[in-house]
Amino acid sequence: MSHDDCKAWCYSRQNPVVQPLLTDLYQITMAYAYWKSGKINDYAVFDLFFRKNPFQGEFTIFAGLEECIKFLERFQYSDSDIKYLKSTMPSSVDPGFFDYLKNINVNNVTIYAMQEGSVTFPRIPLLRVEGPLITVQLLETTLLTLVNYASLMATNAARYRMVAGKNITLLEYGLRRAQGPDGGLSASKYSYVGGFDGTSNVLAGKLFNIPVSGTHAHSYITSFTSIDDLQAKTLAHKQTGEVYDLLELASKYRDAIAGDLGSIVSEASSGELAALISYAIAFPERFTALVDTYDTKRSGILNFCAVALALNDVGYKAIGIRLDSGDLAYLSNAARDIFERLAIKYNIPWFARMIIVASNDINEETIISLNEQSHKINCFGIGTHLVTCQRQPALGCVYKMVEINGQPRIKLSQEVAKMNIPGKKNAYRLYGADGYALIDILQRSTEEEPQVKQKVLCRHPFQESKRAYVIPTRVEPLHKVYWKNGKVCEPLPTLTQIRDRVQESLKTLRNDHKRNLNPTPYKVAVSDDLYNFIHDLWLQNAPIGELS
Amino acid sequence: MSHDDCKAWCYSRQNPVVQPLLTDLYQITMAYAYWKSGKINDYAVFDLFFRKNPFQGEFTIFAGLEECIKFLERFQYSDSDIKYLKSTMPSSVDPGFFDYLKNINVNNVTIYAMQEGSVTFPRIPLLRVEGPLITVQLLETTLLTLVNYASLMATNAARYRMVAGKNITLLEYGLRRAQGPDGGLSASKYSYVGGFDGTSNVLAGKLFNIPVSGTHAHSYITSFTSIDDLQAKTLAHKQTGEVYDLLELASKYRDAIAGDLGSIVSEASSGELAALISYAIAFPERFTALVDTYDTKRSGILNFCAVALALNDVGYKAIGIRLDSGDLAYLSNAARDIFERLAIKYNIPWFARMIIVASNDINEETIISLNEQSHKINCFGIGTHLVTCQRQPALGCVYKMVEINGQPRIKLSQEVAKMNIPGKKNAYRLYGADGYALIDILQRSTEEEPQVKQKVLCRHPFQESKRAYVIPTRVEPLHKVYWKNGKVCEPLPTLTQIRDRVQESLKTLRNDHKRNLNPTPYKVAVSDDLYNFIHDLWLQNAPIGELS
């Protein structure tokens, strides 16, 4: 198999890095200690959940499920893995353990999960993983690493989408600043899921079928010094095929419009004009130009408009410009104004509607501030802040044992917020008559499902006095079985379907939960039965303190 | 080829994600526009550099070079890449371009680079990339993504090493919170480079030969409810082979020492004792215990000491404890005090020196604060803050054209700090008699090397009045040719050698440049010749403004 085929083969299945050894060593040492102490048949339930929404927000998008399932589909220690583990673990480790590990599989593991792309909240399990204790413990780190960044990234992208509004095109441009090559690839994938329209990352386009986009860099402009650098100057008319001298046309238009723009032709860069003409000849149907290499107003926009008007004479419609520095609100208004005036002057209505892309160090706050200034930008290209999730670069999902051999488990903590909710649980989302989600409720798995139009007592998991009756108009069970008996048992949606799910799911959330500033927390409750179960267990396990 | 062999094959060469399509689309569209405008034979020089040190510090560690070189060694567009590009680019693109792209190679590219693991500073090129314009442009994004995170991560790790001091063991525990699976792998690799001693990431251990470490999680402890859960209780003596009942021994010691610890046996968790005994039986030579699952002092440390004393009777020395919550300074002192008292009580001197590992949300500031409280921790396990570089999750390396066809290029910017230094340049580090680095100087490539014991005029690149004469005791050229004529031409160091280089290189930097609070900026100068060259070019290119 050639390396190319191999790469393609790997990727058609899964990122090759995602394999059983992509884990913390303590999972393996624990597995041995369990094995050694005869706990091979113990059966455990783990919840994978987070305790706090990221970005000072009040919601999170769950993503990464498909990668988790693909990981399970191929979960097996290879001979070289076993060889490595033998060389790393103490020589006193019983060789029988390595045979056990070599033959371990995930056929007895069951995974309940939320639908990928759903809005979710603290303490609701994203995954519930049941199965032989040793096996489910061995899955912990890999599942966490697959869910944590995917969900963080999708949430971040969804937040950008919300502040930008639905009519703005959002493009992910972060590959060069991402955390590692595959950090960049995951960023492209999950920003698309979260609501971006495309990426500059070509490999992401190829692997995940995400739209790719891009024009040119400043270096393209600076590589041309003058008109003399222009070798090809002609372009055939789109319809007639007649050959035109694009340089002559553009120069004519530049002279004709400089006054309209308040520019002086001699001050505009002729290297830039040459670069734009050459780019228009290469991409007459997709002519987008970076206009801030020298002086945006006096040179860039003037040269762009001259070339765009010349292209129009040759039967092509230019796409627009990209602004990568300066006052984006002001410059976008100035550019739009020029486009509109030239549209009238030359009677070319589409000229007024050309695209303005902005791309300099954009984050959520920049977009909010630009909105307040009423900019004329159609598209944002967003890099560093988006892909590194600068405001909070990690989501804190944890994976906690909640039951073993049918017995609930609780990990007490000094901090109440760090307590986990013990036992096997089901989760439901209760909706009101207006279609909005009212509350999520966790119940013991033995309880009846909440019923539509019936009173449901919802309690705060830790504060006794906080409780409310809710009468749901719709009840949505939040988990489905995705993996059982060694098989995927729920169809895995395509990336586009997951992306659609994000927007649908967000629509069911009231705006005050989603707003950027001081959003209202969405409530996650427990049933009365679960409340009592937790607190009984808590009291049983907590030692009585002694002050001295 | 099996999938395992394939993965091994991929990895023996390179991360399979690192391939020519891991780039921004605009590199490909620019390549086509260059090709179309007859610029196939243009020759360009690009500098890869950053403008600001990360983490409010005054130094950066350069890393990622080996991955860049490996990327070049295998740079080739595959048939499926070409097929994808054809499907993505406009149908008007000349098919000849795809043949050109398919046959492109990097045999005419030359790469000058700093030694990997070196301390470096703003504006010093980490890489200088020369070659056919189209080819070197196509390398931009991938080189940036390989250098940016690697350098950021190595720098972050080096900063943790500095605040921790050289006698503390530092372990990277961040996989579950890293940005994507391979973000985690890169984090493990480059935190080792920056001065960490090991990682919990098993795959990183296997692929990069980094020491791996780990004990058990809280779930291991909570999976045991009582002594009844303990199936195996015996351990053979290390020397004599005589079989001992570890439970009996540990219980005896627990009763005997509870008073010394101010604990009450009935308040200690017997599930925890069972868990620790089972773990000690599995790893008698590497017994390290997580002691904060229930109550650190009243239960965890008591149970640990009981099992450690029992192990001692069976010929084994326990390693130590891990604290994962609570007041780490206080608890480490309390634990150390108990270890010391029991060492005396039972006349076991090594008992006093057992390892204390701390691991709860540690960052640079936590370590500094713990140092001020005189903790007794021997080892930090560090996750989220380390691997996501929370304080600044991206390094801003850029890749700028500085010369084309022998002509210098400058990109003017409203912000002086964003200007690049044009032309092909060499860089030197000038050292003083005390062995410390005094200043880095950039010169035009045509200038003579600075000479030892001769006056060198060093100028601030942009501020006319800032200049100084430096008389170096040693002059170090900062760049070597690593890639030329399609071959690696400088031996690539091992990971351990790069790791050693980091510490050696840091030693040559004065402490005031390295300190955490308000470090002194290290100076990066230009020669007088380069200064004049920049400023002549600047004036030639900057249009004279007009205020109206």
Side-chain angles (χ1 to χ4, degrees):
Chain A
M1 196 191 278
S2 77
H3 187 65
D4 272 330
D5 293 341
C6 158
K7 282 188 300 190
W9 195 88
C10 287
Y11 259 99
S12 67
R13 278 149 180 76
Q14 178 192 343
N15 182 339
V17 166
V18 181
Q19 45 175 290
L21 278 204
L22 188 76
T23 190
D24 292 307
L25 183 65
Y26 79 2
Q27 312 291 5
I28 315 268
T29 54
M30 274 194 276
Y32 176 60
Y34 282 138
W35 182 86
K36 182 85 178 166
S37 46
K39 284 174 158 283
I40 308 187
N41 296 317
D42 282 18
Y43 191 90
V45 181
F46 281 77
D47 282 350
L48 189 153
F49 63 99
F50 60 89
R51 297 190 180 106
K52 201 173 169 302
N53 290 301
F55 313 122
Q56 301 170 308
E58 291 297 344
F59 72 90
T60 299
I61 303 292
F62 167 51
L65 175 61
E66 188 194 15
E67 292 195 74
C68 291
I69 299 296
K70 285 190 171 179
F71 167 59
L72 286 183
E73 281 189 301
R74 293 195 32 255
F75 186 92
Q76 207 199 342
Y77 292 94
S78 72
D79 291 335
S80 76
D81 291 345
I82 298 294
K83 195 175 148 201
Y84 173 71
L85 289 174
K86 278 187 184 166
S87 74
T88 306
M89 294 179 76
S91 55
S92 61
V93 168
D94 188 327
F97 172 67
F98 296 108
D99 296 334
Y100 171 80
L101 213 56
K102 178 75 186 109
N103 293 315
I104 218 164
N105 64 50
V106 290
N107 294 343
N108 297 321
V109 172
T110 304
I111 296 208
Y112 296 80
M114 295 195 71
Q115 196 178 335
E116 187 163 5
S118 299
V119 166
T120 184
F121 306 98
R123 286 196 286 268
I124 298 292
L126 306 177
L127 303 180
R128 183 171 99 210
V129 185
E130 304 183 9
L133 169 62
I134 295 181
T135 316
V136 294
Q137 184 70 64
L138 285 169
L139 301 175
E140 172 176 14
T141 308
T142 324
L143 295 180
L144 283 172
T145 199
L146 291 174
V147 169
N148 263 327
Y149 182 58
S151 299
L152 185 75
M153 190 64 245
T155 308
N156 202 21
R159 294 178 62 90
Y160 276 88
R161 169 53 69 201
M162 286 192 326
V163 297
K166 64 179 196 292
N167 297 322
I168 296 276
T169 301
L170 291 178
L171 302 172
E172 178 271 311
Y173 281 180
L175 176 57
R176 63 188 62 196
R177 301 283 166 82
Q179 297 205 338
D182 182 66
L185 212 48
S186 304
S188 305
K189 180 175 178 180
Y190 292 104
S191 50
Y192 183 66
V193 163
F196 271 55
D197 298 294
T199 176
S200 64
N201 184 340
V202 190
L203 189 60
K206 183 183 174 191
L207 295 175
F208 310 126
N209 201 23
I210 300 172
V212 288
S213 100
T215 52
H216 54 254
H218 293 113
S219 60
Y220 186 81
I221 306 292
T222 56
S223 77
F224 291 77
T225 324
S226 73
I227 293 298
D228 300 338
D229 287 346
L230 201 57
Q231 298 193 18
K233 298 166 192 174
T234 60
L235 183 64
H237 192 284
K238 191 180 177 187
Q239 280 85 34
T240 67
E242 193 186 337
V243 173
Y244 284 79
D245 183 323
L246 211 61
L247 170 60
E248 197 181 293
L249 279 175
S251 302
K252 184 195 80 183
Y253 278 114
R254 194 161 75 151
D255 291 339
I257 64 173
D260 298 288
L261 274 68
S263 304
I264 299 163
V265 170
S266 65
E267 279 179 20
S269 162
S270 58
E272 186 179 50
L273 181 66
L276 297 189
I277 290 172
S278 75
Y279 201 79
I281 290 172
F283 295 102
E285 315 233 23
R286 293 200 195 170
F287 180 57
T288 310
L290 184 59
V291 293
D292 70 331
T293 306
Y294 301 107
D295 186 302
T296 304
K297 277 190 72 186
R298 291 194 289 180
S299 185
I301 296 177
L302 174 62
N303 282 326
F304 165 77
C305 289
V307 178
L309 290 167
L311 270 182
N312 180 59
D313 285 357
V314 192
Y316 291 99
K317 291 181 185 173
I319 305 292
I321 58 170
R322 178 158 75 96
L323 300 167
D324 191 41
S325 60
D327 181 331
L328 299 174
Y330 169 75
L331 290 172
S332 70
N333 276 295
R336 180 66 65 211
D337 181 55
I338 291 164
F339 295 166
E340 286 170 351
R341 280 191 284 134
L342 294 178
I344 294 166
K345 178 168 180 171
Y346 292 102
N347 192 23
I348 324 173
W350 62 262
F351 210 89
R353 297 188 299 271
M354 284 189 298
I355 301 294
I356 300 173
V357 183
S359 63
N360 182 30
D361 221 18
I362 309 281
N363 60 24
E364 261 187 87
E365 285 67 38
T366 323
I367 298 177
I368 292 169
S369 154
L370 284 167
N371 288 346
E372 285 163 2
Q373 299 168 72
S374 59
H375 64 81
K376 296 287 164 54
I377 295 161
N378 306 93
C379 170
F380 289 107
I382 309 179
T384 315
H385 293 279
L386 174 70
V387 304
T388 64
C389 302
Q390 199 135 13
R391 204 164 159 187
Q392 182 183 320
L395 180 64
C397 278
V398 293
Y399 185 84
K400 295 289 173 192
M401 184 192 287
V402 292
E403 193 178 289
I404 185 165
N405 301 327
Q407 298 301 310
R409 277 295 172 277
I410 194 163
K411 152 105 179 63
L412 299 175
S413 173
Q414 316 285 60
E415 300 162 63
V416 168
K418 275 197 150 188
M419 295 238 318
N420 59 308
I421 299 184
K424 198 187 286 191
K425 298 169 295 288
N426 291 328
Y428 302 91
R429 186 159 295 167
L430 310 185
Y431 292 87
D434 55 6
Y436 285 121
L438 293 170
I439 197 164
D440 283 9
I441 184 167
L442 288 165
Q443 298 191 160
R444 298 189 66 187
S445 62
T446 46
E447 292 182 69
E448 289 284 306
E449 232 175 79
Q451 298 299 311
V452 164
K453 304 213 166 128
Q454 308 225 344
K455 267 200 315 194
V456 182
L457 178 56
C458 297
R459 302 197 60 168
H460 186 287
F462 307 120
Q463 294 180 37
E464 200 173 4
S465 63
K466 287 195 177 175
R467 48 207 176 143
Y469 282 113
V470 174
I471 301 174
T473 302
R474 182 158 77 89
V475 173
E476 181 190 20
L478 292 178
H479 296 121
K480 283 182 188 161
V481 180
Y482 276 85
W483 177 267
K484 194 169 186 169
N485 299 327
K487 290 203 180 71
V488 186
C489 37
E490 189 68 36
L492 292 173
T494 64
L495 211 59
T496 317
Q497 287 169 333
I498 301 171
R499 186 170 183 267
D500 293 344
R501 167 72 185 166
V502 172
Q503 298 308 320
E504 279 162 29
S505 190
L506 276 169
K507 265 186 215 152
T508 65
L509 198 60
R510 280 202 329 261
N511 280 330
D512 59 310
H513 299 306
K514 293 185 283 192
R515 71 181 168 221
N516 201 273
L517 193 68
N518 297 328
T520 315
Y522 178 86
K523 288 190 179 61
V524 174
V526 297
S527 66
D528 195 46
D529 198 4
L530 181 55
Y531 180 89
N532 293 322
F533 178 72
I534 297 169
H535 290 261
D536 290 349
L537 205 67
W538 193 354
L539 287 177
Q540 276 168 38
N541 281 272
I544 298 173
E546 207 174 287
L547 290 173
S548 58
Chain B
M1 196 191 278
S2 76
H3 186 65
D4 271 331
D5 291 343
C6 159
K7 283 188 299 188
W9 195 88
C10 286
Y11 259 100
S12 68
R13 280 151 180 77
Q14 178 192 341
N15 182 338
V17 167
V18 181
Q19 44 174 289
L21 279 204
L22 187 77
T23 189
D24 293 307
L25 182 66
Y26 79 2
Q27 311 292 4
I28 316 268
T29 54
M30 274 193 276
Y32 176 60
Y34 282 139
W35 182 85
K36 183 86 178 165
S37 48
K39 282 174 159 285
I40 309 188
N41 295 316
D42 281 20
Y43 190 90
V45 181
F46 281 76
D47 282 350
L48 190 154
F49 62 100
F50 59 89
R51 296 190 180 107
K52 200 171 169 306
N53 290 302
F55 313 122
Q56 300 171 306
E58 290 296 345
F59 71 91
T60 300
I61 303 291
F62 167 50
L65 176 60
E66 188 193 16
E67 292 196 74
C68 292
I69 299 296
K70 284 190 170 178
F71 167 60
L72 288 182
E73 280 188 302
R74 294 194 31 253
F75 186 93
Q76 209 201 341
Y77 292 95
S78 72
D79 291 334
S80 75
D81 291 346
I82 298 294
K83 194 175 149 202
Y84 173 71
L85 290 175
K86 277 187 185 167
S87 74
T88 305
M89 294 179 76
S91 55
S92 61
V93 168
D94 188 329
F97 171 67
F98 295 109
D99 297 333
Y100 171 80
L101 213 56
K102 178 74 186 112
N103 292 314
I104 218 164
N105 64 50
V106 289
N107 293 342
N108 297 319
V109 171
T110 305
I111 296 208
Y112 296 78
M114 294 195 72
Q115 195 178 333
E116 187 163 5
S118 300
V119 167
T120 184
F121 307 97
R123 285 196 286 270
I124 297 292
L126 306 177
L127 303 179
R128 183 171 101 212
V129 184
E130 304 184 8
L133 168 62
I134 296 181
T135 316
V136 295
Q137 184 70 63
L138 285 169
L139 301 176
E140 173 177 14
T141 309
T142 325
L143 295 180
L144 283 172
T145 201
L146 291 174
V147 169
N148 264 327
Y149 182 57
S151 299
L152 185 75
M153 191 63 245
T155 307
N156 202 21
R159 294 177 62 89
Y160 276 88
R161 170 52 69 201
M162 286 193 326
V163 297
K166 63 180 195 295
N167 297 324
I168 297 276
T169 301
L170 291 177
L171 301 173
E172 178 271 311
Y173 280 180
L175 175 57
R176 63 188 62 196
R177 302 284 168 81
Q179 298 204 337
D182 181 67
L185 211 48
S186 303
S188 305
K189 180 175 178 180
Y190 292 105
S191 51
Y192 183 65
V193 163
F196 270 56
D197 298 294
T199 177
S200 64
N201 183 338
V202 189
L203 189 60
K206 182 182 175 193
L207 295 175
F208 309 126
N209 201 22
I210 300 173
V212 287
S213 99
T215 52
H216 53 253
H218 293 112
S219 60
Y220 187 81
I221 306 292
T222 55
S223 78
F224 291 78
T225 323
S226 74
I227 293 300
D228 300 338
D229 287 347
L230 200 58
Q231 299 193 16
K233 298 167 192 177
T234 58
L235 185 64
H237 192 284
K238 190 179 178 187
Q239 279 86 34
T240 66
E242 193 186 337
V243 173
Y244 284 80
D245 184 324
L246 212 59
L247 171 60
E248 196 183 293
L249 279 175
S251 302
K252 183 194 80 184
Y253 278 115
R254 194 160 76 149
D255 291 339
I257 63 175
D260 298 289
L261 273 67
S263 304
I264 299 164
V265 169
S266 65
E267 278 179 20
S269 161
S270 59
E272 185 179 51
L273 181 67
L276 297 189
I277 289 171
S278 77
Y279 202 78
I281 290 171
F283 295 102
E285 314 233 23
R286 293 198 194 170
F287 180 57
T288 310
L290 185 57
V291 292
D292 69 331
T293 305
Y294 300 105
D295 186 304
T296 304
K297 276 188 74 186
R298 290 195 289 179
S299 184
I301 296 178
L302 174 63
N303 282 327
F304 166 76
C305 288
V307 178
L309 289 167
L311 270 182
N312 180 60
D313 285 356
V314 193
Y316 292 99
K317 291 180 183 173
I319 305 292
I321 58 170
R322 178 157 76 95
L323 301 168
D324 192 40
S325 60
D327 182 332
L328 299 174
Y330 168 75
L331 291 172
S332 70
N333 276 295
R336 179 67 66 213
D337 181 55
I338 291 165
F339 295 167
E340 286 170 352
R341 280 191 285 133
L342 295 178
I344 293 166
K345 177 169 180 169
Y346 292 102
N347 192 22
I348 324 172
W350 62 263
F351 210 89
R353 296 187 300 272
M354 284 189 298
I355 300 296
I356 300 173
V357 182
S359 62
N360 182 30
D361 221 19
I362 309 282
N363 60 23
E364 261 188 86
E365 285 65 40
T366 323
I367 299 177
I368 292 169
S369 155
L370 285 168
N371 287 345
E372 284 164 2
Q373 299 169 71
S374 59
H375 65 79
K376 295 287 163 53
I377 295 160
N378 306 93
C379 171
F380 290 106
I382 309 179
T384 316
H385 292 279
L386 174 69
V387 305
T388 64
C389 302
Q390 199 135 14
R391 204 165 158 186
Q392 181 184 321
L395 180 65
C397 278
V398 293
Y399 185 84
K400 293 291 173 191
M401 185 192 287
V402 293
E403 195 177 290
I404 184 165
N405 300 327
Q407 298 300 310
R409 277 295 172 278
I410 194 164
K411 153 108 177 63
L412 299 174
S413 173
Q414 315 286 59
E415 301 162 62
V416 169
K418 275 199 149 189
M419 296 239 317
N420 59 310
I421 299 184
K424 197 187 288 190
K425 300 167 294 289
N426 291 329
Y428 302 91
R429 186 158 294 168
L430 309 185
Y431 291 88
D434 54 8
Y436 285 121
L438 293 170
I439 197 164
D440 283 9
I441 184 168
L442 288 164
Q443 299 192 158
R444 299 189 64 189
S445 62
T446 46
E447 292 183 68
E448 291 282 307
E449 233 176 74
Q451 298 298 311
V452 163
K453 303 215 167 124
Q454 307 225 343
K455 267 200 315 197
V456 182
L457 179 56
C458 296
R459 302 197 61 169
H460 187 286
F462 307 120
Q463 293 180 37
E464 199 174 4
S465 63
K466 287 196 176 173
R467 50 210 173 142
Y469 282 113
V470 174
I471 301 175
T473 301
R474 181 158 79 89
V475 173
E476 181 191 19
L478 292 178
H479 296 119
K480 283 182 190 164
V481 180
Y482 276 85
W483 178 268
K484 195 170 187 170
N485 299 326
K487 289 203 180 71
V488 187
C489 37
E490 189 69 37
L492 292 173
T494 64
L495 211 60
T496 316
Q497 286 169 333
I498 300 171
R499 186 170 184 268
D500 293 344
R501 168 70 185 168
V502 172
Q503 298 308 321
E504 279 162 29
S505 191
L506 276 170
K507 264 187 214 152
T508 66
L509 196 61
R510 280 201 328 260
N511 280 329
D512 59 310
H513 300 305
K514 292 185 283 192
R515 71 180 170 220
N516 202 273
L517 192 68
N518 298 328
T520 315
Y522 178 86
K523 288 188 180 61
V524 174
V526 296
S527 67
D528 195 46
D529 198 4
L530 181 55
Y531 180 90
N532 293 321
F533 178 73
I534 297 168
H535 290 261
D536 288 350
L537 205 67
W538 193 354
L539 288 177
Q540 275 168 39
N541 282 272
I544 299 174
E546 208 174 287
L547 291 174
S548 60

